[in-house]
Amino acid sequence: MTALRTPDAVRPPEAVSTGERFSRWADRHRKWLFAGPSVVFTALLLAVPLGWTLFLSLTDAKRSVRRDFDVIGLGNYADVLTDTERFWPSVWRTFAFTGGALFFELILGMIIALLLWKPFRGQGVVRTIVLLPLVATPVAVGMMWRLLFEPNIGFVNEMLGWVGIPPQPWLADPATSLPTLIFVDIWQWTPMVALILLAGLTSLSDEPQEAARVDGANAWQRFWYITVPLMRPVIIAAVLLRGIDALKTFDILYATKGKGGGAFHDVETLNVYAYGLSFDYNEYGVASAVLILFFLIILVVIWVLQMQRKGKQS
């Protein structure tokens, strides 16, 4: 006769091997074992550069990376926060660029998503065309639009001449440089917002729309009172993702205007300002202080958007 196997629950502890105990423990904690290495690696990637930048912001490091430097405490932060010529204008430009781009990208993205929501003939081709701006790198996009907006030979002014409008300075005038680059950002990144919103629309149930249609609600009422409330978490997620990305925009600005955001710093955002301090003037301590302040600003923006998201969901 075959001996009956003793259940694990009644087996004495000394009868359970070390390998079995480890196997059971690993099975209970498998999600942490699988995710742990990547989490630790990502944390190190964030902590080490951030910690070094924070340390440099408390020093007078400048001119050369090999030069000895001294710890000066919060002196760099005091200098930066009292700089009304470069720092605070760059803060304003950063939020103006982000707010202006995000506002129009949300509106246009929602319009495109609504147009692509229902199936129609050639929908795949239209979606491909809409997503084409995302294929190019931001630097290539910046250089392309720089040529198109060139005051003398640019195609944009050439088209304006066809309808009798005189050539415009676009990127050459400090008054129009920032709005022009906001337009460029809208052109490239509206498809991404539309893609996020379209994914949210396709996940909605048709029942609320049908019920509202039966009750006599028109298209605008169904959109404003049904679609928008149901899409609110997706809209906030799109604002969070695109807003943070727009805050960090550097490549388009630098590719079109160069050092300092132009001769008059007309498109100098915090990223461009910190880059100039580091690589143009070798003021590593001051640049690190600017980056830490910028990092804190991004954290505050994320916190505000997360609070808005939680408030809407509750």
Side-chain angles (χ1 to χ4, degrees):
M1 294 180 62
T2 305
L4 295 176
R5 185 177 180 182
T6 305
D8 291 343
V10 298
R11 291 171 65 185
E14 58 274 10
V16 181
S17 66
T18 304
E20 287 183 272
R21 285 197 295 268
F22 176 78
S23 178
R24 294 173 188 172
W25 178 87
D27 186 64
R28 290 194 302 269
H29 301 86
R30 59 184 179 275
K31 60 180 180 180
W32 298 110
L33 289 175
F34 284 116
S38 60
V39 170
V40 172
F41 180 71
T42 304
L44 289 175
L45 284 180
L46 292 174
V48 173
L50 183 60
W52 178 246
T53 303
L54 178 61
F55 172 73
L56 281 181
S57 69
L58 303 175
T59 69
D60 62 350
K62 56 184 176 181
R63 297 181 190 149
S64 173
V65 292
R66 296 184 178 182
R67 174 183 174 271
D68 294 334
F69 50 79
D70 299 318
V71 176
I72 59 174
L74 300 177
N76 290 327
Y77 292 94
D79 293 341
V80 169
L81 292 175
T82 55
D83 180 8
T84 57
E85 294 184 3
R86 298 285 295 275
F87 176 74
W88 288 109
S90 67
V91 172
W92 177 86
R93 293 187 202 98
T94 300
F95 282 102
F97 179 87
T98 302
L102 190 58
F103 176 77
F104 288 102
E105 285 168 9
L106 277 176
I107 294 177
L108 296 175
M110 179 62 77
I111 294 174
I112 294 173
L114 290 172
L115 292 176
L116 298 178
W117 186 11
K118 302 302 180 182
F120 57 88
R121 178 178 294 181
Q123 187 181 49
V125 176
V126 174
R127 287 188 179 184
T128 302
I129 295 174
V130 168
L131 295 177
L132 280 179
L134 294 177
V135 177
T137 61
V139 173
V141 170
M143 295 303 296
M144 178 190 72
W145 281 104
R146 182 179 179 179
L147 293 174
L148 291 174
F149 283 126
E150 209 282 329
N152 299 314
I153 60 172
F155 184 67
V156 174
N157 280 336
E158 182 73 19
M159 288 193 303
L160 293 179
W162 297 344
V163 293
I165 300 177
Q168 302 299 316
W170 302 116
L171 293 171
D173 188 349
T176 58
S177 293
L178 191 62
T180 301
L181 289 178
I182 290 175
F183 166 79
V184 174
D185 190 85
I186 293 170
W187 179 84
Q188 182 174 24
W189 295 109
T190 294
M192 188 191 81
V193 178
L195 199 62
I196 296 173
L197 297 179
L198 181 60
L201 287 173
T202 54
S203 66
L204 297 181
S205 173
D206 293 333
E207 294 178 0
Q209 296 283 344
E210 294 296 333
R213 189 179 289 108
V214 171
D215 291 338
N218 57 36
W220 171 253
Q221 291 172 330
R222 294 197 304 272
F223 168 75
W224 188 252
Y225 294 105
I226 296 178
T227 304
V228 171
L230 292 176
M231 284 284 293
R232 194 163 289 155
V234 180
I235 293 174
I236 295 177
V239 170
L240 185 64
L241 293 173
R242 182 65 201 121
I244 295 173
D245 196 38
L247 277 173
K248 301 182 299 179
T249 300
F250 170 81
D251 27 27
I252 289 179
L253 304 177
Y254 197 83
T256 52
K257 296 292 292 183
K259 295 180 180 180
F264 300 98
H265 312 297
D266 35 305
V267 298
E268 185 181 59
T269 60
L270 283 173
N271 261 336
V272 178
Y273 179 46
Y275 180 89
L277 287 172
S278 297
F279 298 100
D280 295 337
Y281 302 106
N282 298 328
E283 294 282 351
Y284 303 116
V286 180
S288 298
V290 172
L291 290 174
I292 292 297
L293 291 173
F294 190 26
F295 178 73
L296 293 177
I297 290 173
I298 293 177
L299 287 182
V300 171
V301 171
I302 294 174
W303 179 79
V304 171
L305 292 176
Q306 289 287 10
M307 291 299 101
Q308 289 289 329
R309 186 177 185 180
K310 291 180 180 179
K312 299 299 184 181
Q313 288 178 344
S314 59

